[in-house]
Amino acid sequence: MNTIGEQSLRWFSAERVVNEPDLTVLVRDYSGLLYRVALSLLRNPAEAEDVVQDVFVRVLQRKQQLSAVVDMRPWLVRIAWNLAIDRARRIRPQQMDEFFAANMVSGELPADQALAEAGRIRRVMAAMEKLPKHEHQALLLSAMDELSTAEIAAILGKSESSVRSLLFRARAHLRERLGD
Amino acid sequence: MANEHDEAIEKVLAALKNAAPLDGMEARIAQRLEYHSAPKAQSGWRGLLAGSTIASAWWRGALSGGLVATAAACSLFLFEYHSMRHPPAPPPIASSTDQPEAIPINGTPAIPCSSPAILRAQTNAPSTSVTIARGASPGHSRPIFQLGLTSEERALIRLTRIAEPHQIATLNSEIQARVDAADAAAFKKFFTPPPRPKIDEWQPESVDSEGTAPTQQSDQPQSAEQSTPPTSDLKGPQ
């Protein structure tokens, strides 16, 4: 993981010197985004929060190098993304899909409709899980409004055109699987 | 139908986009950051020992390890030195002069033993009249090992407590020899081999054509008359 952070630093390093950012400000501005990014992969609120804490601990350990980071948002999201991928290998997020789907359903719906709605959401999440890895990741990151295509490309280590192609293919595959 | 699927996909993505973190998340993050940053801020000497990275602090680790090893070696040396200078006092060994007071024998003066393992009894005195040791009496619960006796002495004292008088008497070598001789005689008498049968009483089973009985093979020398049986009884009609 350390090499990924250092790689990001080299990627985003600029000639101009930026003042060392305050950690408190970083937590306030980016903790929500990082939480949603981790939650999209893990579907577990407690695990997602652990990932966010780990991200800022690593930032604290590299506090002296923060001035070299040009764009903080994709750098932080990339750290959170990789930490969430590592954690997802251990906890098997599919186990939380039922709970996650139930929370997505509106409480105003009647019970039978809520049950049907939760079932449909679970099917969508299972289909998303079965997508090819890069398509799945691009689709999840695209859900975050704060991230542009260029930033998603930087996080995934691909070009913008590749990211657009991945998003198109991901939606097409999802329609095929859900239509079956 | 495709619209419903798109709708479901957008719903899921929207839920992921709008997910709110747990209450108090920022405060917990701040707490954890404070925990990670606090030790370094309070004591600078920890940074000297720990180092920022492992690569740069190897010599610090080696130095601290060497100091610990040196301290352990010094403490061990001091302990050994102190033990050599002040050895523990040996346990008190009961001397022969103390024995008579500890083990008086009823009716006769105690004979000092050249070998403390052998207890010589002058008479077949009952065990109850024998004082075993100072402060120890039959039924007394004080352990014997307090007197510093050897294992043989402790065994003998225990024997005097629990054994019968005739068993104690066998400790005397003369009495033991007499008992052994009596046992050997009884054994010999019981297992005396039966007397060897005489030749006249013995009927040979196989006789050769000339009517002579096979010669006996024995260790005892036989006279010429006894070696061959009389042939007049064995010859047939001629």
Side-chain angles (χ1 to χ4, degrees):
Chain A
M1 278 305 298
N2 295 337
T3 56
I4 293 174
E6 289 164 359
Q7 182 182 354
S8 300
L9 282 174
R10 287 196 294 272
W11 203 329
F12 295 111
S13 61
E15 293 177 0
R16 62 190 172 93
V17 176
V18 178
N19 289 335
E20 186 176 302
D22 187 7
L23 268 179
T24 311
V25 174
L26 288 179
V27 171
R28 187 191 64 204
D29 293 343
Y30 297 109
S31 60
L33 171 62
L34 299 179
Y35 174 80
R36 290 193 297 275
V37 165
L39 187 69
S40 64
L41 266 176
L42 299 173
R43 271 104 76 191
N44 186 323
E47 296 284 345
E49 183 175 324
D50 284 346
V51 166
V52 175
Q53 290 186 10
D54 290 343
V55 168
F56 285 109
V57 167
R58 287 171 187 265
V59 169
L60 177 67
Q61 291 169 354
R62 282 172 167 69
K63 198 174 180 184
Q64 290 77 20
Q65 302 165 3
L66 286 180
S67 57
V69 178
V70 175
D71 201 346
M72 194 63 63
R73 186 166 56 210
W75 184 66
L76 290 173
V77 171
R78 181 160 184 172
I79 296 175
W81 185 253
N82 289 302
L83 285 175
I85 288 175
D86 288 342
R87 201 172 274 247
R89 291 194 192 110
R90 293 198 304 269
I91 66 170
R92 293 184 60 199
Q94 300 86 333
Q95 297 174 351
M96 294 294 296
D97 283 352
E98 190 168 342
F99 171 77
F100 199 72
N103 283 345
M104 280 191 201
V105 176
S106 171
E108 298 172 354
L109 289 175
D112 56 343
Q113 288 185 17
L115 200 62
E117 185 72 11
R120 196 164 60 170
I121 292 174
R122 264 204 317 277
R123 281 184 59 213
V124 170
M125 294 176 72
M128 286 171 64
E129 198 69 29
K130 289 194 176 83
L131 286 173
K133 184 177 77 172
H134 296 298
E135 292 178 14
H136 181 217
Q137 293 176 357
L139 188 64
L140 291 179
L141 287 173
S142 70
M144 310 298 151
D145 287 340
E146 298 95 329
L147 296 176
S148 64
T149 307
E151 289 174 338
I152 295 174
I155 292 168
L156 295 177
K158 295 186 181 301
S159 63
E160 287 189 47
S161 58
S162 297
V163 170
R164 290 195 202 94
S165 170
L166 287 171
L167 287 172
F168 178 79
R169 287 208 300 266
R171 288 179 180 271
H173 286 150
L174 273 179
R175 285 193 209 99
E176 284 177 20
R177 289 211 165 95
L178 292 172
D180 294 341
Chain B
M1 191 67 170
N3 289 338
E4 287 182 5
H5 298 318
D6 285 339
E7 200 177 305
I9 294 169
E10 292 305 325
K11 193 162 190 174
V12 170
L13 294 178
L16 293 174
K17 181 178 68 175
N18 298 325
L22 300 172
D23 291 338
M25 185 180 75
E26 287 186 20
R28 287 189 289 274
I29 293 171
Q31 263 183 358
R32 186 159 172 200
L33 292 177
E34 192 178 333
Y35 172 76
H36 279 275
S37 60
K40 291 180 184 177
Q42 286 175 0
S43 53
W45 64 270
R46 283 180 185 268
L48 283 176
L49 288 179
S52 57
T53 60
I54 295 175
S56 66
W58 67 268
W59 63 271
R60 296 192 187 100
L63 184 64
S64 57
L67 288 173
V68 169
T70 305
C74 288
S75 61
L76 191 65
F77 173 73
L78 285 172
F79 177 74
E80 290 292 335
Y81 181 69
H82 183 265
S83 300
M84 286 169 56
R85 285 290 297 271
H86 303 286
I93 299 173
S95 61
S96 60
T97 56
D98 294 335
Q99 289 297 334
E101 184 181 355
I103 310 177
I105 298 176
N106 185 24
T108 56
I111 299 175
C113 305
S114 59
S115 170
I118 299 174
L119 182 66
R120 294 180 183 275
Q122 298 297 319
T123 60
N124 293 335
S127 60
T128 54
S129 63
V130 175
T131 304
I132 304 302
R134 185 188 313 163
S137 58
H140 203 279
S141 62
R142 187 174 300 178
I144 297 175
F145 60 80
Q146 290 180 351
L147 300 174
L149 300 172
T150 63
S151 57
E152 290 85 1
E153 290 168 338
R154 288 199 292 274
L156 283 171
I157 292 171
R158 187 159 172 265
L159 188 66
T160 55
R161 284 184 181 176
I162 61 175
E164 298 294 327
H166 67 276
Q167 292 174 337
I168 297 173
T170 56
L171 292 174
N172 189 349
S173 56
E174 295 171 359
I175 298 174
Q176 182 67 37
R178 262 184 273 153
V179 169
D180 290 343
D183 286 343
F187 181 84
K188 231 181 219 179
K189 184 179 176 184
F190 188 76
F191 286 103
T192 303
R196 189 178 294 281
K198 295 183 181 175
I199 297 174
D200 294 336
E201 298 170 358
W202 182 62
Q203 297 291 332
E205 292 181 0
S206 60
V207 179
D208 59 12
S209 58
E210 295 179 357
T212 57
T215 56
Q216 293 180 359
Q217 296 179 1
S218 67
D219 295 334
Q220 294 179 1
Q222 293 178 347
S223 60
E225 296 175 354
Q226 291 179 353
S227 62
T228 57
T231 56
S232 59
D233 297 333
L234 297 176
K235 280 189 179 174
Q238 292 180 354

